[in-house]
Amino acid sequence: MCGIVAYVGPRQAHEVIIKGLKRLEYRGYDSAGIALLNGGLNIYKKKGKVSDLEEHLYENNLNSNIGIGHTRWATHGEPNDENAHPHYSHSKKLAIIHNGIIENYSSLKQELINKGHTFESETDSEVFIHFIEDIQENNDCSLDEAVRLALTKVVGAYAIVIMSKDDPNLLIAARKGSPLVIGIGKDEFFLASDATPIIEYTNEVVYLNDYEIAVIDNNELKLKNTQDVVSTPYIQTLDMELEAIEKGGYEHFMLKEIFEQPKSIGDCMRGRLNANEGRLVLGGIREYANKLVNADRIVIVACGTSWHAGLVAEYFIEEFCRIPVEVEYASEFRYRNPIINEGDIVFAISQSGETADTLAAIELAKSKGAIIFGVCNVVGSSISRVSHEGAYTHAGPEIGVASTKAFTAQLTVLNMIALRVAHKKGTITERRYHELLVELENIPAKVEKALKLDNQIKEISETFKDARNFLYLGRGYNFPVALEGALKLKEISYIHAEGYPAAEMKHGPIALIDEEMPVVVIATRDSSYDKVVSNIQEVRARKGRVIAVVTEGDALIPQMAEFVIEVPKTDEALMPMVSVIPLQLLSYHIAVMRGCNVDQPRNLAKSVTVE
């Protein structure tokens, strides 16, 4: 959840680290800090954003070629200067940055207090570095051996980097359950939670695996695991451009990413789909394609926006593949005793590929013999590595905390997988198959057209920016879109919003409707159209204020709704990729008008890598 950066090499470490922390601030932004070796092991940290830390650093001597930095999303202890990272060890000869949660920190802390340790923060991370130092002193061993021994005792998730006052060329890193990548330059090394702080300097990286420890000393990288088994670093080349992580003239990353969707959807299909030739190729599902075709059921596990994508996929897969689908919150799935049989198919969906609950759900499913198909965006991420097969969405970096282009990219991949299976299985006619290939290929152009509604949606947002509640309604394929629209509004504008199946309105939510209640209805032309029209009439009869998303050319609903947003005509099965666009823009503009921090909404972080 937090962002960590470290550097050792000929450059000024603080410059690399501060720039890196700004790029990782989407992972956490309630406090930040750095540690440098400059006449001693010095820590500088501050509550607030990285810019507040920069101001705090002004006029300090920051000359150093080694350092570690952290931007925090609070777990143990409130956001303040004391709980900010990095943290000192008891002797103040060691410093640590940590992303994750140490679950047994309380018992470790009590043991250390009994030995005379005192603590300056409420964090589990400070306990962690005290524990490592205690092991080093009591075992008279090297620091990397002390780290290894400590990792065999702690319970929980971690990505850590440690530096030592006594060794100006040493960085020690380790991971379990939280991501960590090492960039390899010329006589220099960069460490970070993801590749965004690294790509400016090098495109050669090593992704640490769970239970791996990296020791960087005197321009040399060595890897071993917690069992003390040495391994050879596997160096990968990043396929990422620096421009992809810049705002490119947009006011916010979220707006940039909304407007990138015609390109990101097209990138997702590139090389995979050619409607003219009737070709749909997904190399990532080749080996287990027959398992998919013959599956008795598919279980989808995901969280948040990815869960909504899974709900849309449920409709699509069941309609065209005729395979039963269950969509599970990964956070609930892992704590049940789910019935998973050997050979069952589990789809794991995650933008980052590092979502802790989804990874835990995969581990549980694999232990029962399930076949895992990963759908994620980040190359080299944990989910991509633990899945049997799967597909990348190729959406490019998504920096805004509220996910937008990841949703439509996930739908693109899931729809392509479903069409490939349906065609191979023979549960879709050739005519319908080719219709959907053509329609899918045309989605980027339709999204481009929907984005031209931006000014109209901005005007509607002005009317409702001060609303205290919103209701979102949809049926069929558009029900998950209603959920996603409500989630976006909640996330970034802090307005209470709920999404419902339109038919469920009469089973409770209708009691909330009055002249102050905005009701967003996704009412595009589909098999449920007449029913949705009836729902709109019911809302209007109770003086609710209707914002309707309709298919262009609709003549009926504009007579009933106060505001109408027309989207291009699209096949019902693919409409969610188009109908979601106005809802993303609506949430964005309302949040901006309310003065909210769109890219860094309060209490949220981009990737939930801890429970």
Side-chain angles (χ1 to χ4, degrees):
M1 193 73 80
C2 307
I4 62 180
V5 184
Y7 174 78
V8 58
R11 304 174 196 266
Q12 284 295 322
H14 75 277
E15 294 177 358
V16 174
I17 293 168
I18 292 295
K19 185 180 287 187
L21 290 179
K22 287 180 177 178
R23 289 187 174 146
L24 287 178
E25 205 165 17
Y26 68 88
R27 298 180 62 89
Y29 32 85
D30 59 48
S31 59
I34 64 171
L36 301 170
L37 274 176
N38 52 349
L41 179 54
N42 296 307
I43 290 178
Y44 313 87
K45 53 188 184 177
K46 195 69 178 172
K47 176 184 176 182
K49 298 186 182 299
V50 177
S51 57
D52 296 305
L53 173 64
E54 270 192 299
E55 192 173 314
H56 177 63
L57 292 173
Y58 186 67
E59 292 187 345
N60 278 287
N61 172 25
L62 304 177
N63 183 45
S64 176
N65 299 120
I66 184 170
I68 58 178
H70 187 277
T71 179
R72 184 173 186 248
W73 185 86
T75 53
H76 292 76
E78 66 178 78
N80 58 30
D81 292 355
E82 291 75 22
N83 291 329
H85 294 220
H87 290 288
Y88 280 122
S89 63
H90 183 55
S91 69
K92 292 188 166 46
K93 290 184 178 181
L94 304 177
I96 191 172
I97 48 177
H98 170 218
N99 172 27
I101 291 179
I102 303 305
E103 295 173 11
N104 61 334
Y105 87 100
S106 183
S107 59
L108 294 174
K109 185 174 185 178
Q110 190 57 55
E111 288 178 22
L112 291 165
I113 289 172
N114 293 341
K115 292 181 177 181
H117 288 244
T118 58
F119 295 89
E120 298 176 0
S121 76
E122 304 168 78
T123 68
D124 55 336
S125 308
E126 186 184 9
V127 174
F128 203 170
I129 192 61
H130 278 240
F131 183 51
I132 289 168
E133 184 175 68
D134 184 69
I135 288 175
Q136 185 183 17
E137 290 174 350
N138 286 309
N139 290 272
D140 192 25
C141 60
S142 63
L143 180 56
D144 61 285
E145 176 62 7
V147 171
R148 187 187 72 81
L149 293 172
L151 297 182
T152 65
K153 304 294 185 183
V154 297
V155 178
Y158 54 80
I160 58 170
V161 185
I162 295 167
M163 60 188 295
S164 169
K165 179 181 178 181
D166 295 334
D167 198 330
N169 300 302
L170 176 69
L171 290 174
I172 298 174
R175 72 152 283 180
K176 174 182 173 282
S178 295
L180 194 60
V181 58
I182 302 171
I184 302 172
K186 182 175 173 53
D187 298 327
E188 60 184 352
F189 293 89
F190 309 81
L191 298 92
S193 298
D194 66 36
T196 55
I198 295 173
I199 190 61
E200 180 175 348
Y201 308 101
T202 179
N203 64 352
E204 292 196 335
V205 299
V206 173
Y207 291 95
L208 279 193
N209 294 312
D210 277 352
Y211 304 104
E212 275 192 327
I213 302 166
V215 180
I216 298 170
D217 194 12
N218 290 312
N219 288 327
E220 186 177 3
L221 169 64
K222 295 179 180 179
L223 295 185
K224 63 181 178 179
N225 62 20
T226 52
Q227 301 304 310
D228 209 20
V229 177
V230 176
S231 60
T232 301
Y234 173 57
I235 299 174
Q236 300 185 47
T237 302
L238 285 173
D239 183 19
M240 183 190 297
E241 299 295 333
L242 183 61
E243 293 78 10
I245 58 174
E246 304 292 348
K247 287 184 183 176
Y250 287 90
E251 186 177 356
H252 297 97
F253 279 111
M254 182 181 178
L255 187 62
K256 173 179 179 265
E257 288 154 9
I258 290 172
F259 274 84
E260 282 178 341
Q261 286 174 105
K263 180 180 184 300
S264 58
I265 295 169
D267 287 345
C268 187
M269 292 186 285
R270 184 170 292 111
R272 292 168 164 173
L273 187 153
N274 186 312
N276 286 335
E277 298 176 4
R279 180 171 57 86
L280 177 56
V281 179
L282 287 163
I285 66 166
R286 186 175 292 124
E287 185 178 343
Y288 289 87
N290 289 331
K291 295 283 189 182
L292 265 174
V293 168
N294 296 311
D296 293 325
R297 67 167 180 159
I298 293 171
V299 178
I300 297 175
V301 292
C303 300
T305 288
S306 297
W307 186 75
H308 297 156
L311 289 177
V312 178
E314 177 183 18
Y315 284 86
F316 200 98
I317 293 169
E318 290 193 340
E319 178 171 355
F320 298 111
C321 303
R322 307 310 297 156
I323 301 172
V325 178
E326 299 170 21
V327 185
E328 301 269 6
Y329 282 114
S331 55
E332 289 296 313
F333 178 86
R334 62 177 296 197
Y335 289 113
R336 290 190 1 241
N337 185 16
I339 300 171
I340 297 289
N341 299 311
E342 189 168 347
D344 277 354
I345 304 295
V346 174
F347 280 24
I349 312 172
S350 167
Q351 188 283 137
S352 66
E354 302 291 350
T355 309
D357 286 318
T358 306
L359 280 163
I362 290 173
E363 187 177 329
L364 174 61
K366 284 182 79 173
S367 73
K368 295 177 180 289
I371 297 167
I372 311 299
F373 284 81
V375 175
C376 57
N377 187 37
V378 180
V379 176
S381 60
S382 296
I383 287 177
S384 71
R385 285 182 283 158
V386 300
S387 299
H388 292 104
E389 282 199 323
Y392 288 116
T393 58
H394 298 304
E398 189 177 64
I399 307 299
V401 166
S403 192
T404 52
K405 67 177 180 176
F407 178 74
T408 50
Q410 287 165 354
L411 291 185
T412 305
V413 164
L414 291 164
N415 290 341
M416 288 193 296
I417 292 173
L419 285 172
R420 185 76 185 91
V421 171
H423 190 248
K424 189 175 177 65
K425 190 176 182 181
T427 50
I428 188 172
T429 66
E430 284 293 327
R431 179 178 177 180
R432 185 71 173 123
Y433 176 69
H434 285 282
E435 283 178 352
L436 287 169
L437 290 186
V438 171
E439 186 73 356
L440 192 54
E441 203 168 61
N442 288 332
I443 289 294
K446 294 184 178 187
V447 170
E448 187 82 56
K449 190 172 182 180
L451 288 167
K452 293 178 180 177
L453 301 166
D454 188 46
N455 287 333
Q456 178 198 355
I457 294 168
K458 192 172 184 179
E459 291 175 7
I460 296 172
S461 301
E462 184 68 45
T463 301
F464 294 104
K465 69 180 189 300
D466 296 319
R468 299 182 64 184
N469 300 282
F470 263 77
L471 195 61
Y472 286 73
L473 303 176
R475 281 181 183 252
Y477 281 96
N478 278 320
F479 160 53
V481 177
L483 294 175
E484 176 63 11
L487 176 63
K488 284 291 143 305
L489 192 70
K490 280 185 279 197
E491 284 180 312
I492 62 171
S493 73
Y494 319 139
I495 295 173
H496 174 252
E498 297 295 337
Y500 281 93
E504 286 295 305
M505 182 182 67
K506 294 189 289 293
H507 296 273
I510 198 168
L512 299 172
I513 297 173
D514 58 20
E515 63 276 3
E516 294 183 357
M517 174 67 82
V519 182
V520 179
V521 185
I522 301 102
T524 53
R525 280 278 181 185
D526 57 30
S527 56
S528 301
Y529 178 78
D530 292 338
K531 299 292 186 183
V532 175
V533 169
S534 296
N535 294 135
I536 292 173
Q537 290 172 327
E538 290 162 352
V539 173
R540 291 295 293 151
R542 288 154 182 83
K543 302 189 184 324
R545 306 187 69 180
V546 176
I547 307 164
V549 178
V550 305
T551 304
E552 58 187 356
D554 190 305
L556 180 58
I557 292 178
Q559 298 175 35
M560 310 175 203
E562 185 176 354
F563 297 95
V564 173
I565 302 168
E566 293 190 356
V567 296
K569 182 180 179 182
T570 306
D571 191 286
E572 176 179 357
L574 299 176
M575 179 55 86
M577 301 172 71
V578 178
S579 60
V580 75
I581 302 300
L583 307 190
Q584 293 173 347
L585 290 169
L586 183 71
S587 63
Y588 170 80
H589 287 301
I590 287 176
V592 170
M593 290 172 185
R594 290 167 66 88
C596 301
N597 189 332
V598 173
D599 286 336
Q600 298 172 357
R602 70 187 182 202
N603 302 334
L604 294 178
K606 181 66 179 172
S607 179
V608 183
T609 58
V610 295
E611 292 184 52

